[in-house]
Amino acid sequence: MVQPIAQVKVAPKLPEQLRRLHELTYNLRWSWDHDAIALFRRLDPDLWEKTQHNPEWMLGLMSQERLNALVSDSSYMAHYARVCRAYDEYMQASDTWYANQYGNLEQHPTVAYFSMEFGLTECLQNYSGGLGVLSGDHLKSASDMNIPLVGVGILYQEGYFQQYLNADGYQQESYPINDYVNLPVSLQTDDAGRPLKISVPMPGRELYAQIWKVQVGRVSLYLMDANIEDNELLEDRNLTDRLYGGDHRTRIRQEILMGIGGVRALRALGIEADIYHMNEGHSAFLLLERMRIFMHEGQLSFEEARALTAASSVFTIHTPVPAGNERFGFDLIDEHFTDYMHQLGLSRDAFIDLGRENMGDYELFSMSVMALNLSSGSNGVARLHGSVSRQMWQWVYPNVPVHEVPIRAITNGVHVQTWVSQEMAQLFDRYLDPAWRTEESRRDVWEGVRTIPDAELWRTHVRRRERLVAFARDRLREQLQRRGVSQTAIEEADEVLNPDALTIGFARRFATYKRATLIFRDLGRLRKLVTDSERPLQFIFAGKAHPHDAEGKEFIRTIVNVARDHDFRDSFVFLENYDLNVARYMVQGVDIWLNNPRRPKEASGTSGMKVIYNGGLNCSILDGWWAEAYRHDIGWSIGHGEEYGEDDWAHQDYIESQALYNLLEQDIVPLFYQQARDGLPREWIRRVKRSMMELAPRFNTHRMVKQYTEEFYLPSFQVIQDMRCNGFAGASAFANWREDLDRVWSDVTVLDVDIASGDVEIGSCTEIRAVVRLGNLQPPDVKVQLYFGMLDSIGNIREGQSIDMTIADSNGDGVYTFRTQHTYQTTGNVGFSVRVLPYHPYLHSSFVPHKIVWA
């Protein structure tokens, strides 16, 4: 190889009349604008596919003659003008959700949203699966709603991996290099044109990274890249090669760059973020960096810095699977954070206590535990997942009832404009309020689905199914050619699948708990379903297994080999290299989206949400989002929400596979083929319409981001504004209060509770009094609460409720009497207790670890 002594980037010379094409390519708003996508496709349809829908790369490959010729194409120029006009209207719009709701605020928070991956468009391979797609959709909705938010992550040289299958159907991985020159990313430079760089501490050295920007509508996403000459060690330059690659040492260093480096990158860019949102625990080291900055630049104590950091941090938990939570051995913490401990003024034990998790026979440093300990708001990503997370992390909040553990639930959603097909969008434009494009969480907007003629809705969906079948045949032909199979087998790919048949899609990560092969438990029953010439049924699968997940890879191999069977080969297709493009074709074309994880291991799942907007229906285990979405008239549930232990998994698979076959045989297939005299499946269409009207306003990222803004971002911003006032006087006072609380809390005791016992009638009212010793605390420092609820079979209060008691008397020597009234509203055995919790206006929750006293 010959190393160059200089390099020059050669760009196409766009005609003056088309000069804004570059501007359009570098703002990923085009990725959710059907008209802009059509504009790029018109440049060269073949090149559009060859470049994986990358308009910037495509422009670089186009001939100058073709570009010059476009100027004389009046149709194309009119299209170009229309797209530019729509782009300008979008970027300059003042009538946005945030402006309308909060435009009158004196100060606006800047939210920094950290995620290890971002799935924005298939040409930017910076994601592995659902977490990244959710992050990308979060940014897109924040842009649409004009929320002041920036994204922070890592730019990977190789990304996750490209999947292909060998002749036996076993997954293989390749890691093609991402060419940043041809990607819609721009290197950030200083005033002198030099690349902006940051550094983070590594053992015995500094790790350097440069910063790239991806423009996502009105939102900027900043990604760090360590593959630069400033890093002398090859292992440092390779650190940002792969997403979720390497050993634990690689992972902790990636996450140091992500968290600590992310904070430093924002500061290098001149961005002072107010709220930090950690999407999963990978970026939790940002908490340490923020405390260090508060201490060294604000001259604050550790407790003051901790209070400010926690008050302005939000943590979203994404997995109920223990292995999905990042944990590191103390040896890696010592290796990388000994100096940090000193800068924070903490002993080794005190530092490790920030994230210490007992694993039974040993302890580890948990990123999730640290994020819980140092965040004012935490949430799961579906209602059921919130409940599972509260159980999973209850040990962090000793003596707090499970249902009151301060972990909320904000259910995930999808970015509608990204995932709805162009054909369905045009149908909505004809019959729905135009607000469906900007205010998709409005229920009244989706009531307009009633007015869509059944025939039009059905024809629109059928066209997308036909496109999916054509796409699947093309992809299958390419896959078979790569594997070197016979020409006869390749030609047979043109006959697989039936564009008129009931089509079921299954596409996701091939983690074992998602049970991709559940449908193959009884091949005899399955064979009868797919070989029914009167009512054909077919399946399309896609998804990647983690490179080290042998069992997940075996699932893929099983599917591919079943598809080779004579009876199955025309009805089963596995599409390799699942990405956003494959996902769009599938969610826009399938009739049923199948999801059968082991409950409750699916945190949320968003793929099934995408079919809602495209005329598809869901058939799923009652897990994740479907547990709160399901109704019998909008889809199907596999089972009734039962949960099984590990010892019962074989039995569970049998029971739930039988339930799935029963649904297909007795309900789904007959309903799909039950046609009225006009040839339309009227009852199926009614179910599709009910699904849209009921679910469309709920499961979108506009609703989700609105919740984050109203429940976390703005309330947290108000608190930290108060804490910052007068030279951080509020933070100082709060930190002093917390230190006093730690010192005197052990003196707090419930001395006596006075409540009438015996039989009472429903509707009767009684007064309850509690005598409480507060010691050196004052009544405003606490909440004294009556806790009550129905008793379970062993005499414990079941998911009790609480009401605050009011002070009735001061008994002297720090002893007070509190009282409240209670009305008996239900019959049965009711239990009562009294508890004391700390209270301060800056506390996001009165459930402070180890600070609860029960009678």
Side-chain angles (χ1 to χ4, degrees):
M1 290 188 181
V2 178
Q3 292 292 317
I5 60 169
Q7 65 180 37
V8 176
K9 178 181 177 181
V10 181
K13 183 180 180 181
L14 291 175
E16 178 62 23
Q17 296 92 326
L18 293 173
R19 61 183 173 78
R20 297 194 67 191
L21 278 176
H22 271 311
E23 182 184 359
L24 295 175
T25 66
Y26 271 89
N27 189 319
L28 293 189
R29 179 185 174 271
W30 63 259
S31 68
W32 70 92
D33 179 5
H34 291 125
D35 206 23
I37 292 170
L39 179 75
F40 291 132
R41 185 183 285 113
R42 283 182 69 174
L43 289 170
D44 188 324
D46 293 335
L47 207 51
W48 175 251
E49 297 301 328
K50 179 182 176 181
T51 59
Q52 295 182 299
H53 306 164
N54 182 343
E56 179 59 21
W57 186 15
M58 185 171 68
L59 286 176
L61 295 176
M62 290 184 65
S63 69
Q64 200 66 51
E65 291 76 14
R66 170 61 178 158
L67 291 171
N68 292 336
L70 286 170
V71 175
S72 302
D73 185 338
S74 59
S75 174
Y76 187 85
M77 294 305 295
H79 191 170
Y80 168 73
R82 185 172 69 246
V83 169
C84 289
R85 186 163 57 250
Y87 172 81
D88 291 338
E89 289 172 356
Y90 179 89
M91 296 300 291
Q92 298 164 13
S94 57
D95 187 29
T96 62
W97 176 83
Y98 185 83
N100 290 333
Q101 296 292 319
Y102 301 106
N104 60 350
L105 291 180
E106 291 184 10
Q107 291 181 283
H108 299 279
T110 296
V111 180
Y113 181 84
F114 282 65
S115 183
M116 202 71 174
E117 49 177 305
F118 288 90
L120 293 158
T121 177
E122 54 268 29
C123 71
L124 187 59
Q125 296 284 333
N126 228 53
Y127 61 93
S128 71
L131 175 70
V133 175
L134 184 278
S135 301
D137 283 7
H138 192 116
L139 296 194
K140 292 173 182 178
S141 278
S143 169
D144 290 343
M145 301 167 80
N146 203 20
I147 292 167
L149 180 145
V150 296
V152 181
I154 291 174
L155 185 61
Y156 302 98
Q157 189 79 58
E158 299 175 0
Y160 192 42
F161 66 86
Q162 301 290 302
Q163 176 198 56
Y164 65 98
L165 306 183
N166 66 16
D168 192 39
Y170 199 73
Q171 174 181 292
Q172 308 290 300
E173 298 89 27
S174 66
Y175 294 87
I177 301 297
N178 289 318
D179 181 7
Y180 300 157
V181 171
N182 291 313
L183 289 175
V185 299
S186 53
L187 186 63
Q188 299 302 282
T189 57
D190 60 19
D191 293 338
R194 296 183 298 262
L196 270 180
K197 296 175 184 175
I198 54 99
S199 68
V200 295
M202 287 291 148
R205 64 191 185 281
E206 290 285 304
L207 172 77
Y208 297 90
Q210 60 189 3
I211 307 165
W212 299 81
K213 182 173 82 168
V214 179
Q215 194 62 39
V216 187
R218 303 181 184 102
V219 166
S220 297
L221 167 62
Y222 296 101
L223 303 172
M224 292 165 289
D225 161 30
N227 187 15
I228 55 177
E229 294 179 355
D230 304 66
N231 294 314
E232 296 180 0
L233 298 181
L234 184 60
E235 65 182 274
D236 288 350
R237 295 188 63 165
N238 291 344
L239 187 64
T240 54
D241 275 358
R242 296 181 181 178
L243 172 60
Y244 305 137
D247 57 13
H248 278 89
R249 180 169 279 101
T250 300
R251 292 291 292 275
I252 196 172
R253 292 178 178 180
Q254 278 190 338
E255 294 179 12
I256 288 170
L257 176 61
M258 172 76 179
I260 296 174
V263 174
R264 295 183 180 184
L266 290 176
R267 288 165 63 83
L269 291 160
I271 298 171
E272 290 296 331
D274 302 290
I275 306 298
Y276 286 75
H277 186 168
M278 296 166 283
N279 193 40
E280 193 52 275
H282 306 118
S283 59
F285 289 135
L286 71 83
L287 299 159
L288 304 177
E289 175 67 1
R290 295 189 63 220
M291 290 191 294
R292 186 193 68 81
I293 291 170
F294 279 130
M295 292 176 67
H296 288 264
E297 295 185 6
Q299 301 300 304
L300 302 179
S301 69
F302 172 77
E303 291 301 330
E304 291 168 338
R306 176 175 180 154
L308 280 162
T309 298
S312 52
S313 298
V314 177
F315 171 47
T316 295
I317 306 164
H318 268 277
T319 176
V321 180
N325 291 274
E326 196 77 271
R327 300 173 175 92
F328 297 111
F330 294 165
D331 57 331
L332 288 175
I333 298 300
D334 290 338
E335 180 182 354
H336 294 88
F337 286 101
T338 299
D339 185 56
Y340 234 91
M341 298 174 192
H342 298 316
Q343 292 189 55
L344 294 175
L346 297 177
S347 66
R348 178 180 183 272
D349 279 347
F351 183 92
I352 287 175
D353 282 344
L354 296 175
R356 189 189 302 269
E357 184 173 5
N358 189 317
M359 306 301 293
D361 296 333
Y362 57 95
E363 293 180 321
L364 293 174
F365 189 92
S366 165
M367 300 292 277
S368 296
V369 171
M370 179 167 66
L372 286 169
N373 282 331
L374 295 173
S375 299
S376 63
S378 303
N379 70 284
V381 291
R383 194 179 302 159
L384 176 60
H385 180 234
S387 175
V388 171
S389 297
R390 287 188 286 273
Q391 296 177 47
M392 186 172 178
W393 301 110
Q394 185 195 17
W395 65 268
V396 178
Y397 304 90
N399 297 320
V400 175
V402 173
H403 70 285
E404 292 188 301
V405 169
I407 297 175
R408 304 187 210 177
I410 294 181
T411 303
N412 281 346
V414 299
H415 184 253
V416 177
Q417 302 303 314
T418 293
W419 296 105
V420 69
S421 72
Q422 182 174 9
E423 295 89 341
M424 195 64 74
Q426 290 169 346
L427 188 66
F428 292 161
D429 285 338
R430 285 200 296 275
Y431 292 99
L432 269 57
D433 184 318
W436 81 267
R437 286 188 176 272
T438 55
E439 301 175 74
E440 49 257 54
S441 57
R442 276 176 47 191
R443 183 169 291 274
D444 63 299
V445 168
W446 294 99
E447 285 294 321
V449 169
R450 296 182 192 276
T451 66
I452 301 176
D454 287 359
E456 285 195 58
L457 179 61
W458 187 243
R459 281 198 299 269
T460 300
H461 176 69
V462 167
R463 278 197 298 273
R464 288 308 313 188
R465 190 196 313 128
E466 291 168 349
R467 289 197 179 198
L468 169 60
V469 168
F471 173 78
R473 288 171 173 173
D474 288 344
R475 289 291 288 254
L476 180 59
R477 174 183 276 271
E478 292 171 6
Q479 292 169 194
L480 295 175
Q481 287 174 337
R482 279 198 302 271
R483 288 182 215 160
V485 303
S486 68
Q487 186 60 33
T488 300
I490 293 172
E491 291 173 357
E492 287 175 349
D494 292 334
E495 299 176 6
V496 303
L497 304 179
N498 178 349
D500 297 317
L502 171 57
T503 304
I504 295 178
F506 182 101
R508 52 193 31 87
R509 279 189 308 117
F510 266 60
T512 51
Y513 74 86
K514 294 178 184 284
R515 298 188 297 178
T517 56
L518 188 69
I519 190 68
F520 300 112
R521 288 279 303 190
D522 189 334
L523 288 180
R525 291 182 75 176
L526 185 60
R527 196 181 306 270
K528 288 180 182 178
L529 283 164
V530 301
T531 56
D532 185 339
S533 59
E534 297 297 318
R535 302 188 303 185
L537 175 66
Q538 58 196 15
F539 293 81
I540 301 177
F541 288 84
K544 297 178 178 180
H546 189 278
H548 302 306
D549 183 359
E551 192 173 356
K553 291 183 177 182
E554 192 60 35
F555 282 179
I556 295 173
R557 181 176 171 275
T558 296
I559 294 169
V560 172
N561 282 288
V562 167
R564 289 172 174 160
D565 183 280
H566 178 271
D567 289 336
F568 292 126
R569 67 186 181 191
D570 290 337
S571 303
F572 280 85
V573 170
F574 183 90
L575 300 179
E576 295 177 16
N577 205 32
Y578 185 43
D579 66 0
L580 295 179
N581 187 41
V582 174
R584 270 197 307 275
Y585 272 98
M586 290 189 66
V587 299
Q588 292 172 4
V590 297
D591 301 297
I592 292 286
W593 194 259
L594 179 63
N595 187 29
N596 40 237
R598 297 190 193 280
R599 175 183 163 119
K601 293 183 180 295
E602 184 84 277
S604 176
T606 58
S607 53
M609 299 175 187
K610 299 175 179 98
V611 304
I612 296 168
Y613 303 93
N614 290 290
L617 295 172
N618 280 274
C619 177
S620 175
I621 295 288
L622 291 175
D623 199 7
W625 76 283
W626 192 238
E628 65 195 79
Y630 170 72
R631 267 184 13 197
H632 73 279
D633 59 345
I634 61 174
W636 291 271
S637 71
I638 304 168
H640 303 285
E642 301 88 351
E643 295 180 15
Y644 298 77
E646 289 188 29
D647 295 339
D648 295 326
W649 280 359
H651 179 62
Q652 177 186 8
D653 289 352
Y654 172 77
I655 293 294
E656 292 179 344
S657 65
Q658 295 300 306
L660 176 55
Y661 293 131
N662 291 339
L663 282 174
L664 291 170
E665 293 166 349
Q666 301 167 22
D667 199 347
I668 294 174
V669 173
L671 189 68
F672 182 84
Y673 288 103
Q674 178 186 313
Q675 296 183 352
R677 287 197 297 179
D678 58 5
L680 295 176
R682 294 281 182 178
E683 184 52 43
W684 185 277
I685 295 169
R686 275 193 283 274
R687 194 170 287 225
V688 168
K689 286 187 171 183
R690 285 194 295 263
S691 173
M692 280 186 181
M693 289 186 290
E694 174 65 25
L695 305 181
R698 295 167 56 192
F699 296 100
N700 56 77
T701 42
H702 277 39
R703 183 271 310 155
M704 181 194 80
V705 172
K706 177 182 175 183
Q707 272 190 273
Y708 278 116
T709 302
E710 295 180 336
E711 298 181 24
F712 285 134
Y713 300 162
L714 291 175
S716 296
F717 183 56
Q718 182 60 55
V719 169
I720 61 169
Q721 279 185 302
D722 293 344
M723 295 175 79
R724 287 169 172 169
C725 283
N726 301 318
F728 298 107
S732 180
F734 179 59
N736 291 337
W737 178 84
R738 285 293 300 262
E739 290 180 2
D740 290 341
L741 190 72
D742 290 339
R743 188 173 60 254
V744 304
W745 185 255
S746 60
D747 296 334
V748 176
T749 311
V750 180
L751 298 175
D752 185 44
V753 178
D754 180 17
I755 180 171
S757 59
D759 296 336
V760 297
E761 291 184 349
I762 191 169
S764 60
C765 183
T766 186
E767 180 173 278
I768 300 169
R769 288 177 169 259
V771 181
V772 179
R773 174 181 287 120
L774 297 181
N776 290 321
L777 294 176
Q778 299 299 312
D781 294 324
V782 298
K783 284 184 178 180
V784 178
Q785 295 181 332
L786 175 69
Y787 185 82
F788 62 95
M790 303 304 294
L791 298 180
D792 62 19
S793 59
I794 57 175
N796 293 324
I797 297 174
R798 183 177 65 245
E799 294 198 359
Q801 304 174 52
S802 62
I803 54 175
D804 293 343
M805 304 179 75
T806 58
I807 188 166
D809 196 11
S810 173
N811 305 359
D813 295 328
V815 176
Y816 301 87
T817 299
F818 292 80
R819 62 179 291 278
T820 191
Q821 300 282 332
H822 178 75
T823 301
Y824 295 90
Q825 297 177 333
T826 57
T827 58
N829 293 326
V830 182
F832 294 90
S833 187
V834 169
R835 66 188 182 190
V836 186
L837 305 169
Y839 174 76
H840 190 282
Y842 293 165
L843 275 179
H844 70 283
S845 167
S846 284
F847 295 112
V848 178
H850 306 286
K851 299 289 189 299
I852 182 170
V853 173
W854 289 92

